[in-house]
Amino acid sequence: FFYLSKFMSQQHKKNKKMLLRLFLIPTVVTAFVVQLSSLPIGPNRVKTASTSMKLYDWKRREADESALIRVDSQEFRVDNIRGSPGSKKRKMRKGRGISAGKGASCGFGMRGQKSRSGRPARPGFEGGQTALYRRLPKLVGRPTGPGHTKEIYSLIKLDDLTACTENSQVNFETLLTQGTVTKAKHSIFKVVGSKNEELDSLPKGLTVKAHAFTRTAREAIEANGGKCVTLNKNTNDVLVEA
């Protein structure tokens, strides 16, 4: 009797579930059909809005781009061309620690030499291979680097001017033609004084052309009625006539 009553109760539960399903399915189908019938059909049907991407750049969302859209009314030149708002991103300032707002590593990563404190490598270091500044050859004839800004002249001494005639124009080419001087290493020339302080042997009225003059050489030439003409170091044009 006990097993029979248990079997009857299980059959009663199954019947109740079947009745509930038979009642709910027609109700759901009827509601769906009624909702579809209320929508317009054919060419007059209203199209739903297409999915649009959200602009996450706040500069682009709030910017006025009306001036950029008017292409016909604006002449584009080099001085007025600019990028659209939001096209350029500001460089990230890497902080130190969690309070910087970029996470605990602040954009440096979690491992490696570049994530450690201090400068990871000196400028020009290429990981141990021969660096570029060591692979390139040195410039011959002129020192480079900081501290090498001194101008190097080919010197013309006052003793070299003693063989010139009075009231004549003198430069390095005329002295080279006379055989007073030999070839020069540098293309710019400077007139300097000599150990011989006797100025009587210096011709009078000389017009000396050079790129630079020392104070003693200028005074000696002008004391004998001469004139010092300074030339441009690049074009050899006359700069100053004393």
Side-chain angles (χ1 to χ4, degrees):
F1 179 77
F2 173 76
Y3 291 105
L4 182 61
S5 61
K6 189 176 181 180
F7 176 75
M8 293 296 292
S9 62
Q10 290 179 357
Q11 290 293 329
H12 183 66
K13 289 180 180 180
K14 290 182 180 181
N15 293 335
K16 287 177 66 176
K17 290 181 180 180
M18 289 296 294
L19 291 173
L20 185 61
R21 290 175 183 175
L22 291 174
F23 175 76
L24 288 177
I25 290 174
T27 307
V28 173
V29 172
T30 305
F32 182 71
V33 171
V34 171
Q35 187 176 2
L36 285 178
S37 62
S38 62
L39 296 176
I41 301 174
N44 297 328
R45 183 174 179 177
V46 179
K47 294 183 180 180
T48 57
S50 59
T51 305
S52 60
M53 296 181 63
K54 180 181 178 182
L55 289 174
Y56 289 94
D57 194 344
W58 61 271
K59 292 183 180 179
R60 182 69 182 271
R61 292 198 303 267
E62 299 177 1
D64 182 16
E65 300 184 4
S66 59
L68 296 177
I69 299 174
R70 299 173 183 173
V71 181
D72 298 334
S73 62
Q74 185 177 4
E75 180 183 357
F76 288 95
R77 301 186 303 274
V78 178
D79 57 342
N80 64 0
I81 291 179
R82 62 186 182 91
S84 59
S87 61
K88 292 185 179 180
K89 185 180 179 182
R90 182 179 296 179
K91 181 181 178 181
M92 183 179 69
R93 298 177 61 189
K94 293 184 177 180
R96 300 292 186 276
I98 193 66
S99 62
K102 299 294 182 182
S105 57
C106 294
F108 287 95
M110 299 180 64
R111 294 176 297 276
Q113 185 183 17
K114 293 183 179 180
S115 68
R116 315 301 181 189
S117 63
R119 190 175 185 90
R122 67 179 185 274
F125 183 69
E126 298 183 12
Q129 70 179 14
T130 306
L132 180 64
Y133 72 91
R134 296 186 62 191
R135 295 197 299 267
L136 297 178
K138 295 181 179 180
L139 296 178
V140 180
R142 182 177 178 87
T144 59
H148 296 284
T149 57
K150 181 180 178 180
E151 290 282 353
I152 303 177
Y153 296 89
S154 295
L155 302 181
I156 300 175
K157 299 180 180 180
L158 287 179
D159 294 340
D160 300 335
L161 304 179
T162 56
C164 299
T165 58
E166 295 184 356
N167 300 323
S168 62
Q169 293 187 0
V170 182
N171 55 14
F172 179 78
E173 284 74 16
T174 58
L175 296 175
L176 186 63
T177 304
Q178 294 175 3
T180 308
V181 295
T182 58
K183 62 181 181 179
K185 183 177 181 181
H186 306 286
S187 59
I188 54 178
F189 304 95
K190 186 175 186 178
V191 180
V192 298
S194 59
K195 295 181 180 179
N196 186 11
E197 298 295 338
E198 296 180 359
L199 301 178
D200 297 337
S201 60
L202 192 66
K204 297 183 181 298
L206 289 179
T207 302
V208 183
K209 296 181 179 180
H211 300 93
F213 297 86
T214 61
R215 181 178 56 83
T216 56
R218 185 181 292 273
E219 291 176 354
I221 294 172
E222 293 176 352
N224 284 275
K227 188 167 56 173
C228 298
V229 179
T230 307
L231 303 178
N232 190 311
K233 297 176 183 178
N234 298 322
T235 61
N236 292 330
D237 296 333
V238 178
L239 290 180
V240 179
E241 291 189 5

